[in-house]
Amino acid sequence: MPLHDEEERHQLLADRLLDSNEEESAYDYSDKVHIIGVDEEHDDDDFTKTPPFSWKKLWAFTGPGFLMSIAFLDPGNLEGDLQAGAIAGYSLLWLLFWATAMGLLVQLLAARLGVATSRHLAELCRDEYPKWARLLLWVMAELALIGADIQEVIGSAIAIKILSRGFLPLWSGVVITALDCFVFLFLENYGVRKLEALFAVLIAVMAVSFAWIFGETKPNGVELLVGVVVPKLSSKTIKQAVGIVGCVIMPHNVFLHSALVQSRDIDNRKIGRVREALKYYSIESTIALAISFMINLFVTTVFAKSFYGSEIANSIGLENAGQYLQDKYGGGSFPILYIWAIGLLAAGQSSTITGTYAGQFIMGGFLHMRLKKWQRALITRSCAIVPTLIVALAFDTSEKSLDVLNEWLNVLQCVQIPFALIPLLYLVSREEIMGVFKIGSSMKVISWLVAVLVMLINGYLLMDSLSSAVSGMLFTSVVVAFTGAYIAFIVYLISRGVTFPNWFVKNRSSSSIDN
């Protein structure tokens, strides 16, 4: 098809999206960061021309990728990191690297969808799927978000408990985290950049805290390098390996990133402007996830150096990890226990805010709810805080039970991953949705291979967890029924995205005629 036809089709699609007054956008126009005019003398009329690279523009686009990267640093990830280090040593660092790379690919596709269509994943799912399917997708997204939120809030509550020397119990930390989340989100009223600056500070706190502990414990540099470069996997570390992959790709984060990129005001009617935005978002997302990889690397190697091969390796969790470090390395100039707690608090607070943010987009997109931001935030918070308070009250006195709960929450999120990945890949592959920005054949194959790999890995975790927990005929029958329905829904979602080659369709048609 000629290039000008492709461009005309894209511009018609963009005009339709931009001129629609019936849809609620992720950001009001007044809230957006305005890009056009930054480091430019004039606006070129050629809508296919991509403006030259500009450091000022890169800075203007920087923000959404760092908010997205918080999901790679939440308390659930930190627990996966420390357990991988304590049980598997340095041997799974290579997997942490490649899992982060796979996560980057998924997040870039989410950003591509949001930029090219001016709509986020939840909104597009609402239009592309029948009512029963989109409601089921919404329920799955909410369940994944609640599971992630419980981990994040509990992580913050544990940090508050440590910093208060046990004076504030777990449930009070949950309440504090729930309330201060609204205080932080209030910053958005002063502009998106203020909220992004807050996240930059929290990421910096995490980086400094865990780098400090890294420096105190002095992990082996050669073993670290070998662990990153040389793939190793044994039967004893499969569970930790699966946990690393499962923790990196978070369902709610896919929905979140497709909305965050719309915080920049770009002219979607111009192909060059969209290409420019995708270029800058790719750069800033890569930098953000490179920083998150380093922070995860710090945590994994600290516990690999400190506890790999020890008797307590299998019993380390978020609540006792800081105390174990304190017992091994002492106080120093500043007690390592409190350094750990500060880093954990920053991880919990930042991920809780992004979780609330994601909940607003998910609920508003799937249900088309026209509510004020604080109302949607209140509903989203309430959905997660009530079960989290129950968890805090039930498990406050049992570290082992809290770790078991955390494992099941990881399983819950793993189960939900296909319901974010499959719709994403389906939508970014459709020319009717993406215009000239649909992914090509090679990228489509790579993306589906990554998605299938992630789903198989998480399927293994699910089956392993259920096989050890399922007992009794009635319970087994219920689990089998739900598993069958789960697989059937995944097959349905995949079938909508399958397109057959022209030669296959022609051969099928010929066969039908001959018969």
Side-chain angles (χ1 to χ4, degrees), residues 10-208:
H10 176 77
Q11 184 151 5
L12 288 172
L13 174 65
D15 288 340
R16 179 173 60 83
L17 291 172
L18 291 174
D19 294 339
S20 175
N21 294 321
E22 298 179 358
E23 296 294 339
E24 181 186 65
S25 61
Y27 292 87
D28 294 334
Y29 180 78
S30 59
D31 294 334
K32 293 185 178 184
V33 177
H34 300 288
I35 300 299
I36 295 177
V38 175
D39 203 26
E40 294 178 355
E41 293 182 1
H42 62 279
D43 188 21
D44 203 309
D45 292 332
D46 184 0
F47 73 95
T48 65
K49 181 180 179 181
T50 302
F53 179 82
S54 162
W55 288 105
K56 287 184 179 180
K57 277 198 174 181
L58 177 59
W59 175 249
F61 276 101
T62 298
F66 283 87
L67 267 70
M68 168 273 295
S69 72
I70 295 296
F72 291 70
L73 297 168
D74 71 358
N77 276 280
L78 298 183
E79 181 151 27
D81 292 338
L82 65 89
Q83 290 176 347
I87 297 172
Y90 298 90
S91 65
L92 296 180
L93 293 179
W94 67 274
L95 187 58
L96 176 62
F97 173 80
W98 285 107
T100 305
M102 289 190 294
L104 175 62
L105 172 63
V106 171
Q107 295 304 147
L108 290 180
L109 291 178
R112 188 184 191 91
L113 181 71
V115 172
T117 66
S118 294
R119 304 177 71 200
H120 57 81
L121 180 57
E123 290 176 321
L124 291 167
C125 285
R126 186 184 72 233
D127 289 345
E128 291 299 316
Y129 291 97
K131 185 176 181 179
W132 70 269
R134 68 172 179 261
L135 287 177
L136 195 50
L137 285 172
W138 169 64
V139 170
M140 294 300 183
E142 290 290 354
L143 287 175
L145 182 59
I146 290 171
D149 215 5
I150 291 175
Q151 289 179 310
E152 293 157 0
V153 175
I154 290 293
S156 287
I158 289 172
I160 292 171
K161 182 178 179 180
I162 294 172
L163 292 172
S164 67
R165 298 187 178 185
F167 178 76
L168 294 174
L170 210 58
W171 67 265
S172 64
V174 170
V175 174
I176 292 171
T177 303
L179 295 176
D180 65 21
C181 179
F182 288 104
V183 176
F184 290 138
L185 284 173
F186 183 72
L187 282 175
E188 190 185 7
N189 293 327
Y190 295 95
V192 173
R193 299 293 273 176
K194 301 291 191 304
L195 188 63
E196 291 171 350
L198 169 65
F199 281 97
V201 171
L202 292 173
I203 292 173
V205 169
M206 280 186 271
V208 171

